[in-house]
Amino acid sequence: MVSTLRTVLGDVLPEQLGVCDAHDHLFLSTPLLPGQGLRDAAAARAELAAFRAQGGGGVMQWTPYGLGRRAADLPALARESGVHVVAATGLHQAGHYGEGTLERLRGRLAEVFVAELTEGIGASGVRAGFVKVAAGFHALDAHARWTMAAAAEAHHATGAPVAVHLELGTGALDVLDLLCGELGMPPDRVILGHLNRSPDFVVHHQAAEAGAYLAFDGPSRAHHATDWRMPNAVRALAEAGFTDRLLLGGDTTTAGARSVSGGPGMPYLLRRVRPRLEMAVGVQVVERMLTENPARAFSVEWH
């Protein structure tokens, strides 16, 4: 079987992806960020164009079910920008949803994930390319266990990878114990997000040694200890032989953070983060983090 990435315009070969932002958002609406959501299609179009101008070729949108993905708008944005866009299914932390939304998904969450991966998101016809779920702060509550069990079931049914929001970068090993230990997922189908927010080099090493992908995403957020500690964390993993486990992403979550609104946005990853990391680990390692690794992490031999 041939591995492909499931983009909003159809499946493509991994070598077609190009330079990839492995975690970002074109659209996102949540009650936890009132008045700050990503809802403007024109701004999303301009952001993709700015990313493309810096050499970007692909974006993984981690916006899951019920948070304003606007799946029907994604194909036109991808086509006009020339950037491959991969959409997510999945479910975020409970606080992002009303109780009615969660109750409607009881007993059929895995079914929804599989349908969005294989048939399409709602009536859009756009198929998701991976599952996004979330852990809590140093913990896996009942909601996280429910969503991760459904995500693992969807993986077993389709082959899709599962990307995990780690709250402030914590809980990586607990997530791997659950997804890979209890639920039988191969570690190389798990993508751990926000490792940069908890710069524990021992945990990073253990997660990479287990075989998971480690995403260093959300640069430009100095209060998350991101920019100034990330090069050392990446260097430590590269020197330990885990270059092939590392991913980079921007994780733009508010309108004000977009480059077209005066923030860092998607281009910052290539304009500022890439040269800074090249100083730490060299051009070849960073190129691999931006191209080969995300292409491999998100490609699937679809069942």
Side-chain angles (χ1 to χ4, degrees):
M1 296 179 66
V2 177
S3 292
T4 58
L5 291 125
R6 182 148 289 170
T7 81
V8 299
L9 293 176
D11 293 356
V12 301
L13 295 173
E15 55 266 28
Q16 295 176 268
L17 181 63
V19 172
C20 181
D21 178 342
H23 179 175
D24 227 308
H25 302 272
L26 294 168
F27 297 109
L28 175 66
S29 299
T30 167
L32 298 187
L33 294 170
Q36 302 179 67
L38 302 174
R39 299 185 178 91
D40 188 334
R45 183 179 298 107
E47 195 72 359
L48 280 174
F51 179 66
R52 180 67 172 170
Q54 291 289 331
V59 172
M60 305 298 165
Q61 170 164 267
W62 284 40
T63 308
Y65 180 97
L67 297 186
R69 289 172 290 183
R70 295 181 60 169
D73 292 324
L74 296 176
L77 293 176
R79 191 177 297 112
E80 293 164 10
S81 66
V83 175
H84 295 293
V85 176
V86 179
T89 184
L91 209 66
H92 212 322
Q93 295 161 333
H96 291 274
Y97 302 95
E99 187 59 32
T101 298
L102 298 179
E103 284 304 314
R104 287 192 294 272
L105 293 169
R106 297 293 176 192
R108 65 184 193 97
L109 190 58
E111 177 185 339
V112 170
F113 293 170
V114 171
E116 293 196 337
L117 290 162
T118 60
E119 300 170 21
I121 297 170
S124 70
V126 172
R127 294 185 295 180
F130 64 102
V131 185
K132 182 258 183 73
V133 290
F137 182 58
H138 284 294
L140 294 175
D141 60 12
H143 177 85
R145 290 181 174 276
W146 171 53
T147 57
M148 289 186 192
E153 187 174 339
H155 160 76
H156 291 306
T158 65
V162 174
V164 185
H165 166 97
L166 299 178
E167 187 66 20
L168 295 180
T170 66
L173 302 183
D174 290 330
V175 168
L176 292 178
D177 284 346
L178 176 59
L179 287 176
C180 304
E182 296 181 34
L183 299 173
M185 282 193 62
D188 66 353
R189 295 286 75 195
V190 178
I191 300 156
L192 300 171
H194 304 318
L195 270 301
N196 44 285
R197 298 185 186 179
S198 179
D200 186 327
F201 290 11
V202 173
V203 170
H204 293 179
H205 188 286
Q206 290 174 321
E209 190 171 43
Y213 285 94
L214 279 62
F216 290 82
D217 40 33
S220 78
R221 302 179 186 183
H223 62 295
H224 283 158
T226 298
D227 289 354
W228 59 282
R229 291 183 179 178
M230 183 169 68
N232 289 336
V234 171
R235 182 191 297 113
L237 287 163
E239 290 177 349
F242 298 121
T243 300
D244 62 341
R245 299 290 96 191
L246 307 178
L247 306 173
L248 293 173
D251 191 28
T252 307
T253 58
T254 63
R258 279 180 160 155
S259 66
V260 295
S261 300
M266 291 181 182
Y268 185 84
L269 185 68
L270 305 181
R271 186 173 64 87
R272 292 300 184 200
V273 177
R274 176 166 58 183
R276 175 64 184 89
L277 284 179
E278 287 174 349
M279 293 174 61
V281 296
V283 172
Q284 290 184 335
V285 170
V286 178
E287 182 71 13
R288 192 170 185 181
M289 293 172 69
L290 288 168
T291 57
E292 296 175 32
N293 293 356
R296 187 173 59 253
F298 288 95
S299 64
V300 177
E301 291 184 359
W302 293 96
H303 300 178

